[in-house]
């Protein structure tokens, strides 16, 4: 069982638009949502799921809006929340910014999208590129009674249209890793994590099949390459775009897929491995008076010195001050801290054209902090 109805409310809890999918929960029940939310918030017991009798409100907040799904018992909560976040993503693709004003200005389009996104309480077409083929900014002017469903919706490959043609066939692959790191004042790493994603920009004609090979440790063990000099990476929490054939990956670790056209994220992954700090900063803080502080920072490995003077309001009583951690922002091209590599990208299309894959590696800072005290 999934959602019975979906509501979009303003910041005061007033419904802006709603869609009743199953009819088993009275639409008037939404009146209990905001009082219940305010009560739980005052009690300090606010949760993403609120219940009123047998009716459950699964809600998220975005900007000045509440997206609320109502349902009865035994609902698949994870499915409903995934749908609500996907709905926000689709609306942002259409309206750039999702706010109360964008809902009011595009009422007809929003209702049509809600009608296509879910059917009888279950998610249906949630790919914004496919939806944009037949729900446009002029959708309220389309004649009724005519079929507006494009072939991609009923195809096995619903995320890619037929008949795509390019003069030059290319694939751009971005391997992007963000480093989350927390180091204490003694230089010990308290937390380290690598969060990665592989993003593609596809300009390919026809309906090509792509096969991506990585230096995956499990793959190396299956193929007998684990003892070679090739460095391998053990990926965790891998998530794929819907185009990837999961059965093929589970069987032989081959990432095989027919890609959407244009930009999309093929996969994401995480590595909870010990990361050596890429950038190290030492700082010295000296107080010369109650109103002047000097901070000197020394980035490790390079002879850089930053000296900063701060004029502060004079205070009569000196208090013990905690030193906030130093947050570092950086981006390193042509490098991945995990060592992940694209070993090959095979492009197979029945016309036999030649295509060029381009690969770019980027390591950047995530939540990267160095404590000074």
């Amino acid at each position: 069982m999934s959602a019975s109805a979906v509501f979009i409310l303003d910041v005061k809890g007033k419904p802006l638009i709603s869609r009743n999918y199953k009819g088993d929960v009275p639409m008037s029940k939404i009146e209990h949502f905001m009082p219940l939310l305010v009560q739980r918030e005052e009690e300090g017991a606010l949760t993403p799921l609120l219940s009123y009798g047998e009716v459950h409100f699964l809600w998220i907040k975005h900007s000045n809006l509440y997206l609320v799904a109502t349902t009865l018992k035994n609902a698949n909560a994870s499915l409903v929340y995934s749908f609500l976040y996907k709905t926000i993503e689709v609306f942002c693709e259409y309206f750039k910014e999702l706010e109360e004003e964008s809902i009011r200005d595009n009422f007809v389009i929003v209702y049509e999208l809600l009608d296509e996104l879910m059917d009888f309480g279950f998610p249906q077409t949630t790919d914004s590129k496919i939806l944009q083929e037949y729900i446009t900014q002029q959708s309220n002017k389309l004649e009724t009674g005519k079929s507006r469903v494009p072939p991609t919706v009923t195809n096995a490959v619903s995320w890619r249209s037929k008949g795509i043609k390019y003069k030059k066939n290319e694939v751009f692959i971005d391997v992007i890793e963000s480093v989350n790191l927390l180091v204490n004042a003694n230089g010990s790493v308290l937390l380290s994590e690598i969060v990665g994603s592989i993003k593609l920009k596809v300009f390919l004609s026809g309906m090509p099949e792509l096969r991506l090979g990585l230096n995956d440790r499990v793959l190396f063990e299956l193929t007998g390459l684990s003892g070679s000099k090739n460095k391998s990476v053990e990926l965790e929490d891998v998530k794929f775009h819907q185009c990837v054939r999961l059965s093929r990956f589970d069987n032989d670790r081959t990432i095989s897929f027919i890609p959407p056209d244009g930009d999309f994220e093929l996969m994401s992954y995480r590595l909870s491995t010990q990361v050596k700090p890429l950038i190290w900063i030492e700082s010295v803080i000296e107080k010369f008076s109650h109103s002047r502080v000097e901070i000197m920072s020394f980035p490790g490995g390079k002879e850089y010195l930053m000296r900063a003077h701060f004029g502060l309001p004079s205070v009569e009583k000196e208090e013990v001050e905690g030193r906030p951690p130093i947050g570092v922002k950086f981006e390193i091209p042509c490098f991945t801290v995990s060592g992940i590599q694209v070993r090959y990208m095979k492009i197979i299309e029945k016309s036999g054209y030649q295509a060029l894959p381009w690969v770019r590696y980027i390591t950047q800072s995530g939540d990267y902090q160095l404590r000074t005290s």
Side-chain angles (χ1 to χ4, degrees):
M1 183 182 293
S2 189
S4 298
V6 172
F7 297 82
I8 300 179
L9 314 178
D10 65 15
V11 72
K12 296 181 180 179
K14 181 180 178 181
L16 299 174
I17 192 171
S18 61
R19 178 68 170 86
N20 190 352
Y21 294 106
K22 301 181 69 174
D24 58 341
V25 176
M27 299 295 281
S28 60
K29 293 292 185 179
I30 194 63
E31 298 173 1
H32 302 286
F33 169 73
M34 187 54 67
L36 190 60
L37 183 142
V38 172
Q39 177 187 343
R40 293 291 177 84
E41 195 169 23
E42 291 175 351
E43 296 172 351
L46 188 60
T47 60
L49 189 149
L50 303 174
S51 299
Y52 182 84
E54 290 188 348
V55 179
H56 304 288
F57 303 105
L58 295 87
W59 65 279
I60 60 176
K61 187 176 182 182
H62 179 85
S63 187
N64 59 349
L65 299 173
Y66 290 95
L67 275 75
V68 185
T70 58
T71 184
L72 296 176
K73 294 181 179 179
N74 298 324
N76 186 336
S78 61
L79 176 65
V80 175
Y81 284 117
S82 296
F83 173 78
L84 292 178
Y85 281 108
K86 189 64 180 180
T87 300
I88 290 176
E89 183 181 321
V90 170
F91 286 165
C92 289
E93 287 286 334
Y94 269 82
F95 313 129
K96 304 303 180 186
E97 297 291 337
L98 178 58
E99 298 178 350
E100 180 179 343
E101 184 179 354
S102 56
I103 297 295
R104 295 186 184 277
D105 291 346
N106 300 278
F107 186 88
V108 174
I109 298 175
V110 170
Y111 195 84
E112 288 196 23
L113 287 171
L114 289 175
D115 196 48
E116 296 293 340
L117 286 166
M118 180 170 279
D119 183 32
F120 199 66
F122 291 92
Q124 297 298 309
T125 305
T126 58
D127 192 312
S128 59
K129 291 183 180 179
I130 302 303
L131 289 167
Q132 286 171 355
E133 290 187 21
Y134 61 105
I135 298 181
T136 67
Q137 300 298 326
Q138 293 79 31
S139 59
N140 58 327
K141 299 180 182 179
L142 295 175
E143 297 181 17
T144 59
K146 294 185 177 181
S147 174
R148 296 184 287 108
V149 181
T152 45
V153 174
T154 55
N155 282 347
V157 186
S158 61
W159 52 86
R160 185 177 178 88
S161 302
K162 291 184 177 180
I164 298 175
K165 293 183 179 180
Y166 287 100
K167 291 183 178 179
K168 188 176 183 180
N169 294 286
E170 295 179 303
V171 178
F172 296 88
I173 307 169
D174 282 343
V175 182
I176 303 173
E177 291 189 341
S178 298
V179 181
N180 299 327
L181 189 76
L182 179 61
V183 181
N184 65 14
N186 298 324
S188 300
V189 177
L190 303 179
L191 180 148
S192 64
E193 182 184 53
I194 302 170
V195 179
S197 66
I198 298 181
K199 299 181 179 181
L200 270 62
K201 184 176 291 186
V202 178
F203 303 107
L204 296 175
S205 305
M207 297 290 284
E209 178 183 348
L210 276 60
R211 295 175 186 172
L212 177 67
L214 305 173
N215 55 335
D216 179 10
R217 182 168 299 171
V218 177
L219 173 63
F220 279 22
E221 291 174 353
L222 289 173
T223 55
L225 294 175
S226 56
S228 67
K229 297 181 179 180
N230 297 317
K231 181 180 179 181
S232 60
V233 176
E234 186 173 359
L235 304 177
E236 303 172 11
D237 294 342
V238 181
K239 297 178 182 178
F240 289 110
H241 187 274
Q242 62 176 329
C243 67
V244 176
R245 296 185 176 93
L246 297 180
S247 58
R248 178 76 183 272
F249 180 77
D250 291 337
N251 184 45
D252 60 11
R253 306 293 284 191
T254 298
I255 303 173
S256 175
F257 57 99
I258 296 176
D261 188 47
D263 300 336
F264 73 102
E265 182 177 275
L266 176 67
M267 61 179 288
S268 63
Y269 59 90
R270 181 181 62 86
L271 287 86
S272 54
T273 183
Q274 191 74 9
V275 179
K276 183 179 178 181
L278 301 175
I279 295 178
W280 180 256
I281 295 179
E282 296 180 358
S283 64
V284 177
I285 301 177
E286 294 186 44
K287 286 189 175 183
F288 291 88
S289 67
H290 292 298
S291 59
R292 189 165 69 90
V293 174
E294 181 177 283
I295 299 178
M296 292 183 291
S297 295
F298 310 88
K302 293 289 184 181
E303 295 298 328
Y304 294 131
L305 168 64
M306 184 193 78
R307 186 188 298 266
H309 297 270
F310 296 91
L312 305 174
S314 179
V315 291
E316 295 180 358
K317 184 179 179 181
E318 183 176 355
E319 299 181 355
V320 177
E321 300 177 358
R323 298 177 184 177
I326 298 175
V328 181
K329 297 292 183 183
F330 61 85
E331 183 173 294
I332 306 173
C334 306
F335 172 74
T336 57
V337 66
S338 71
I340 191 171
Q341 293 179 349
V342 175
R343 297 174 56 236
Y344 62 83
M345 168 64 84
K346 296 180 180 179
I347 303 169
I348 305 169
E349 214 280 331
K350 62 182 181 180
S351 64
Y353 61 71
Q354 297 295 316
L356 298 174
W358 304 89
V359 184
R360 179 173 62 171
Y361 299 97
I362 298 175
T363 292
Q364 60 189 16
S365 57
D367 186 9
Y368 195 102
Q369 295 187 354
L370 306 173
R371 289 180 178 175
T372 58
S373 63

